[in-house]
Amino acid sequence: MSQRWYLLTVLTLANVINFYDRTIPAVIVEPLKEEFHLTDTMVGFLGGSFTIVYAIAGVLLGRLADRVPRRWIMAAGLVVWSLFTGASGFVQGFLLLFLFRLGVGIGEASYGPASNALIIDAYAPKRRSRAISIVSLGIPVGLLLAFLTVGVMVEATGTWRAPFVVAAVPGLLLAIAVLFIKEPERGASDTVDLHTDEQESHPYRAVLRIRTIIWLMVAGIGLQIPTYGVATFVVPLLQRYFGLSIGPASIGAGAILGLAGIAGLLLGGRLADRAAERHPSGRLVVPAAGFAAAIPLTVAALLLGPGSAALFVVLFAIGWTGTQFLSAAASPAIADVTPPSLRATAIAVYFASFNLVGATIGPILVGALSDLLATPVDGLTAEAVGLHRAMLVIVPVGLAIAVLGAWQASRALPRDRDTMTKGVTAGA
């Protein structure tokens, strides 16, 4: 196996474990609510708290990844998040579960910036979106595996605790494999690197002066609001509103967040690289178009009646495919406008923005609106109606923000890339 394929394989598997561990609480919402007497708002805060520490720790670890071997950071993170995941299966109260999920967030924050920076160094610009999309496949695969297995595991064992314990084992083993990654030299796929005093002394300020990154942050925030809202509450929606049990509901959620994610990443990576060859802004026009197409399809799915569970899953999944294009395009776009010595930091800032804002408030907003709008209607429970109405508000609004951000980022990218290129030439 070549070094590049070993890199892609190990990073993809780590991403699978990352999102499998992260998704477990979303599958077991109803058992958690029953045992710990939770409201939907409290469930939202459980998901939101994870992303707050994930975002803050990610910025610090992303900067560290620009200075030390990135495989060390990722291996340590795998150990930390796997241990906290396993420990979550033994908690006896909501507070301790809340704290352990914070620990999982700190561990998982080590992965994103370091892994994306490694891929960018290993692949030339024209192939980066496809390489990123391969590693990003770990996201929907991890989600799919979680939704396909966690509900079944809960039904088979009679406890929501078993999935946490089982999920801890592969992460600890994979941490060893990460240590054997041979890292490419920083900037190996680029001709030159512009390194200025500002990057060294004020790296975050240097990143935040780039308009493409600012608009990508807006797009990421818009996307993650509905993404984390759906990921946290789609299983309860299928249970409450469409009347499915936890097993079929988790399988349906897997089709939406897993299969659609796989299709979207494979398609998005190829389209983004081809579009970038035709025009500098093309890489980011692709996700803007994907978001625009997703809005009417997901709204149409949410407007279906309670007896249309299968049609809801199919229609929502088709729409959700377009939301995945940004994952394949964002990091390569950031690489287009930043020098190698600043990329892990820039990616970490981008990740932090959508995690700290979008991913944090998404489940909280859905949970709070669900409780606020809960009213029994036509034989449906108040909880079912409230959650359904919350989704109808949050999903299209978040995706509209994502369209705006991705489109404006596509317009800013050519100028920002030219600015960096001129700076590199002058520095050289």
Side-chain angles (χ1 to χ4, degrees):
M1 182 182 292
S2 69
Q3 293 183 19
R4 282 184 178 176
W5 277 108
Y6 182 80
L7 174 72
L8 286 181
T9 301
V10 172
L11 293 184
T12 303
L13 289 174
N15 229 5
V16 171
I17 295 170
N18 186 326
F19 278 82
Y20 187 99
D21 294 359
R22 191 183 304 192
T23 306
I24 294 172
V27 183
I28 59 171
V29 167
E30 298 302 283
L32 284 178
K33 287 187 67 176
E34 182 178 352
E35 180 161 338
F36 295 140
H37 309 291
L38 308 179
T39 64
D40 280 348
T41 303
M42 293 171 72
V43 172
F45 271 106
L46 180 64
S49 64
F50 169 93
T51 54
I52 290 175
V53 298
Y54 180 90
I56 295 172
V59 172
L60 302 175
L61 292 170
R63 187 58 186 154
L64 186 62
D66 276 330
R67 297 171 176 268
V68 304
R70 290 159 285 194
R71 65 182 184 277
W72 294 359
I73 295 173
M74 293 188 295
L78 268 161
V79 172
V80 170
W81 92 58
S82 297
L83 290 176
F84 274 110
T85 296
S88 299
F90 297 96
V91 299
Q92 297 301 316
F94 176 73
L95 178 59
L96 200 56
L97 178 62
F98 179 88
L99 293 175
F100 282 2
R101 296 308 292 173
L102 297 186
V104 173
I106 292 172
E108 292 190 359
S110 66
Y111 177 77
S115 63
N116 279 266
L118 274 175
I119 296 166
I120 288 167
D121 283 343
Y123 287 86
K126 66 180 181 179
R127 298 186 62 192
R128 284 172 180 164
S129 286
R130 271 171 278 189
I132 292 285
S133 69
I134 290 172
V135 174
S136 296
L137 283 174
I139 299 173
V141 170
L143 290 168
L144 180 61
L145 287 175
F147 285 119
L148 290 179
T149 62
V150 171
V152 174
M153 207 181 303
V154 170
E155 289 184 331
T157 62
T159 175
W160 55 264
R161 301 175 183 275
F164 286 111
V165 179
V166 172
V169 177
L172 296 173
L173 297 175
L174 193 61
I176 300 171
V178 168
L179 291 173
F180 287 93
I181 289 175
K182 293 183 179 180
E183 296 194 27
E185 183 181 350
R186 297 176 198 269
S189 297
D190 299 273
T191 55
V192 289
D193 179 17
L194 172 64
H195 190 84
T196 68
D197 290 339
E198 181 183 38
Q199 291 172 24
E200 183 64 31
S201 57
H202 301 289
Y204 303 115
R205 186 169 67 188
V207 168
L208 293 174
R209 285 182 174 178
I210 302 171
R211 291 179 66 247
T212 301
I213 295 178
I214 295 298
W215 282 113
L216 279 173
M217 291 162 66
V218 173
I221 289 169
L223 171 61
Q224 296 306 326
I225 289 174
T227 292
Y228 274 78
V230 169
T232 302
F233 287 103
V234 69
V235 172
L237 179 71
L238 287 166
Q239 290 178 272
R240 299 178 200 174
Y241 187 79
F242 291 103
L244 302 182
S245 65
I246 187 172
S250 62
I251 292 172
I256 292 171
L257 296 172
L259 295 179
I262 293 170
L265 283 166
L266 290 174
L267 180 61
R270 186 171 294 274
L271 290 176
D273 276 341
R274 287 186 177 180
E277 291 176 2
R278 296 181 179 180
H279 192 275
S281 64
R283 196 188 299 279
L284 295 178
V285 171
V286 170
F291 294 139
I295 294 174
L297 289 167
T298 53
V299 169
L302 287 166
L303 290 174
L304 293 169
S308 306
L311 183 58
F312 166 80
V313 169
V314 171
L315 193 56
F316 201 96
I318 293 172
W320 206 248
T321 300
T323 68
Q324 304 303 299
F325 295 169
L326 184 65
S327 295
S331 292
I334 291 172
D336 287 342
V337 298
T338 55
S341 58
L342 200 62
R343 281 178 186 159
T345 302
I347 293 169
V349 170
Y350 165 66
F351 280 17
S353 66
F354 66 66
N355 281 303
L356 192 60
V357 182
T360 298
I361 69 174
I364 295 174
L365 283 175
V366 173
L369 275 176
S370 175
D371 289 335
L372 181 65
L373 301 175
T375 306
V377 175
D378 296 333
L380 292 169
T381 66
E383 283 190 328
V385 174
L387 183 55
H388 181 249
R389 289 174 175 174
M391 290 285 200
L392 266 172
V393 173
I394 296 300
V395 171
V397 170
L399 293 180
I401 296 171
V403 172
L404 172 65
W407 176 251
Q408 292 290 9
S410 74
R411 297 181 63 187
L413 189 146
R415 181 182 298 176
D416 287 340
R417 190 174 70 169
D418 288 345
T419 298
M420 187 195 72
T421 303
K422 290 176 183 177
V424 169
T425 304

